[in-house]
Amino acid sequence: MKRSLKVFLTGLILSLFLGAPCAHASNPFAEYVYAADPSAHVWNGRVYVYASGDRTDAQEYDMTETRCFSSDDLVNWKDEGSVLRIADIPWASRHLWAPDCALINGVYCLYFPVHNKEGAPCIGVATSNSPTGPFKALPQPLSGVAGIDPSVFVDDDGQAYIFWAGAGLQGARLKPDGLSLDGPAQKISGAKEFFEGPWMFKRQGHYYMTYPALRPGGSGRGGSGQNYDYGTLTSPLGPLTYKGTFSTSELGGNIHGSQLEWNGRWLCFYHDYSTSVGLKKAGFKRALRVDELRFAPNGDILPLEWTTSGPTKLKNLNPYERVEAECLGAADIPEGEHAIRVEPCEAGGQDVGSLGNGDWMRYSNVDFGAGASTFEASVASPINGAKLELRLDSLTGPIIGQCDVPNTGGWQTWQKTQCPIILAKGVRDVYVRIIGEGTGDLCNFDWFRFTPRPK
Ligand code: FUB
């Protein structure tokens, strides 16, 4: 046998039986859906990202829903669905834009900009006792605020501040329940070329404010692009000392995001429109990204390095516990259109719907340990003959199982299906691909779980 063939076969056998390392890109994340303006917070060991729900048929910034995504590993992102819709805000008309959420006195307060029925830009609050809603909007917008892009910073002493883009960079204290201003709005001076999207964080006792800024000579929107600038402050309401630009909207359009520390690492969430490039109205169909944020020894923010791999994983995925189908490391986006749809599930939470022949989902860093023996999934379909095909590491990787999807009698009539599993050991990526006849929808998928091989 030739040496090269021997090396190849040895590699293949080792990867099949020992487990191959997984090194898959995760930027943009949740790339099967358009979303923008990510505001991130960590609560109870998960990061929650609140985002503008850009429309697939966007003509402008005509968003009608706020979306939420969460993760405990920074690789697999659970699509929590739509947590607020314009239709649920009695005084709103259009343009449900960049949101933020804060935990104030045990209540999750979602702050959102939207135009009122008279067309004026207002900021509203909706509350819930869960970070994923349902959120109920207060009957009136916040009084004393006119503008867009709210963000809320809660200081170490529990005092909450709200910032927004109005007549320049504005800020105010919030009352202890977070539901109204405690004092007048104040203009924060010093934010050179400020355009929108303010975000405050505190590091080593210093306050930082990041914001999308006008590029010299640019309009701040559209083709001219934006810079991502920042300054530091000695107290939340300023003044701000301008420090510079740490990133820029590489494709043009805008950039807007948030920064936080998690497990000793600083992260920057932001957006571009890399999943819609070449499509009509691409700049209104944006994609979520996250990368590590680094600082110089003197505290300056270093230029943000945009990566396709994203931050390193925090942990592996345990396949022996129930995994929600919408907890995705990646999914199919043929030619920029959306192949899969995450939708409310009548069995609770969300499911992945509209699955047709060839559609696929990836679950990353699945830790099979010594090996799995069976796969069980909850599926729904009014069609005969669909299957879930499971492969390791890529769409052409080894097949580890194939599960029939029974005709359950309806798109929301759920049944369990099971199949034996071979070759799944160690830490691997798992691709679930739908196989069946025709070009229409074949099945919906709610959750799955593997069973470990008996010792
Ligand atoms: O998402 C709509 C608008 O685009 C936001 O309010 C701005 O910050 C910009 O990202």
Side-chain angles (χ1 to χ4, degrees):
M1 196 189 293
K2 277 198 170 151
R3 189 168 176 273
S4 55
L5 184 61
K6 223 166 162 178
V7 169
F8 169 77
L9 287 178
T10 313
L12 182 69
I13 289 162
L14 282 177
S15 79
L16 289 179
F17 293 98
L18 297 178
C22 302
H24 280 294
S26 65
N27 258 334
F29 63 92
E31 71 277 50
Y32 56 88
V33 73
Y34 300 129
D37 308 319
S39 291
H41 297 273
V42 172
W43 291 308
N44 298 321
R46 290 188 80 78
V47 65
Y48 293 87
V49 173
Y50 299 85
S52 300
D54 285 4
R55 297 162 63 113
T56 306
D57 58 352
Q59 298 301 310
E60 47 153 338
Y61 295 120
D62 45 11
M63 296 85 92
T64 58
E65 59 176 9
T66 298
R67 301 190 65 98
C68 180
F69 304 86
S70 76
S71 177
D72 64 359
D73 60 10
L74 289 171
V75 177
N76 294 293
W77 287 91
K78 183 171 175 206
D79 189 330
E80 306 280 2
S82 175
V83 293
L84 184 72
R85 288 169 199 272
I86 219 163
D88 302 328
I89 310 163
W91 47 269
S93 61
R94 62 197 193 116
H95 292 170
L96 182 55
W97 286 357
D100 188 22
C101 190
L103 178 57
I104 299 182
N105 271 333
V107 176
Y108 293 92
C109 300
L110 184 69
Y111 299 83
F112 55 89
V114 72
H115 285 190
N116 67 11
K117 301 269 192 229
E118 289 72 48
C122 296
I123 291 177
V125 193
T127 58
S128 173
N129 45 29
S130 155
T132 55
F135 285 93
K136 188 164 169 38
L138 299 192
Q140 301 293 335
L142 279 177
S143 167
V145 178
I148 60 166
D149 295 359
S151 67
V152 168
F153 166 75
V154 182
D155 209 346
D156 302 334
D157 60 3
Q159 175 65 53
Y161 298 84
I162 182 165
F163 303 98
W164 68 97
L169 170 55
Q170 302 276 325
R173 287 168 166 267
L174 283 170
K175 291 229 171 99
D177 61 5
L179 305 182
S180 56
L181 299 199
D182 190 5
Q186 294 185 34
K187 179 154 186 182
I188 300 175
S189 62
K192 215 169 117 188
E193 306 295 358
F194 175 83
F195 196 70
E196 55 192 3
W199 180 265
M200 178 166 280
F201 64 86
K202 197 173 184 180
R203 179 178 180 270
Q204 297 179 353
H206 300 286
Y207 300 94
Y208 289 71
M209 176 74 79
T210 63
Y211 58 90
L214 281 174
R215 278 193 193 149
S219 68
R221 290 211 190 279
S224 56
Q226 293 181 339
N227 285 339
Y228 208 174
D229 284 4
Y230 79 106
T232 54
L233 309 90
T234 49
S235 70
L237 294 175
L240 177 148
T241 304
Y242 179 75
K243 299 293 284 188
T245 296
F246 70 98
S247 193
T248 188
S249 56
E250 292 188 351
L251 295 169
N254 50 37
I255 189 166
H256 176 158
S258 57
Q259 299 76 35
L260 58 72
E261 187 186 19
W262 192 15
N263 283 334
R265 268 194 299 174
W266 281 87
L267 302 169
C268 181
F269 292 81
Y270 58 108
H271 70 234
D272 67 359
Y273 60 92
S274 50
T275 54
S276 65
V277 170
L279 298 181
K280 278 194 185 147
K281 308 278 181 185
F284 301 116
K285 304 172 183 183
R286 294 163 293 176
L288 299 174
R289 308 179 61 93
V290 55
D291 273 304
E292 285 199 35
L293 186 71
R294 297 197 168 84
F295 295 84
N298 68 358
D300 288 355
I301 301 179
L302 293 174
L304 181 69
E305 196 187 331
W306 290 36
T307 70
T308 52
S309 52
T312 43
K313 66 181 176 186
L314 287 179
K315 58 192 240 188
N316 293 326
L317 192 149
N318 179 355
Y320 304 125
E321 288 174 352
R322 170 173 158 153
V323 179
E324 299 303 321
E326 69 277 12
C327 187
L328 293 159
D332 192 10
I333 0 170
E335 291 158 24
E337 294 304 324
H338 298 284
I340 68 160
R341 192 181 67 232
V342 173
E343 59 183 14
C345 176
E346 285 178 17
Q350 313 291 316
D351 64 71
V352 182
S354 287
L355 291 168
N357 184 31
D359 289 347
W360 58 267
M361 291 139 287
R362 187 179 82 212
Y363 303 92
S364 298
N365 306 309
V366 177
D367 188 354
F368 288 110
S373 62
T374 55
F375 172 81
E376 178 185 42
S378 178
V379 290
S381 173
I383 311 261
N384 293 322
K387 291 183 195 311
L388 304 181
E389 179 194 76
L390 277 66
R391 289 181 184 257
L392 290 181
D393 301 332
S394 79
L395 284 169
T396 52
I399 296 179
I400 59 171
Q402 202 174 68
C403 248
D404 291 332
V405 175
N407 182 334
T408 65
W411 294 112
Q412 286 293 327
T413 308
W414 296 95
Q415 258 180 45
K416 284 187 217 156
T417 180
Q418 241 194 15
C419 57
I421 291 293
I422 55 166
L423 301 175
K425 265 186 169 186
V427 180
R428 311 294 289 260
D429 284 354
V430 172
Y431 283 76
V432 178
R433 183 160 59 172
I434 313 306
I435 309 224
E437 303 275 305
T439 54
D441 291 352
L442 293 173
C443 66
N444 293 348
F445 181 24
D446 187 13
W447 56 264
F448 67 88
R449 180 193 286 127
F450 287 82
T451 312
R453 191 180 300 157
K455 286 187 181 138

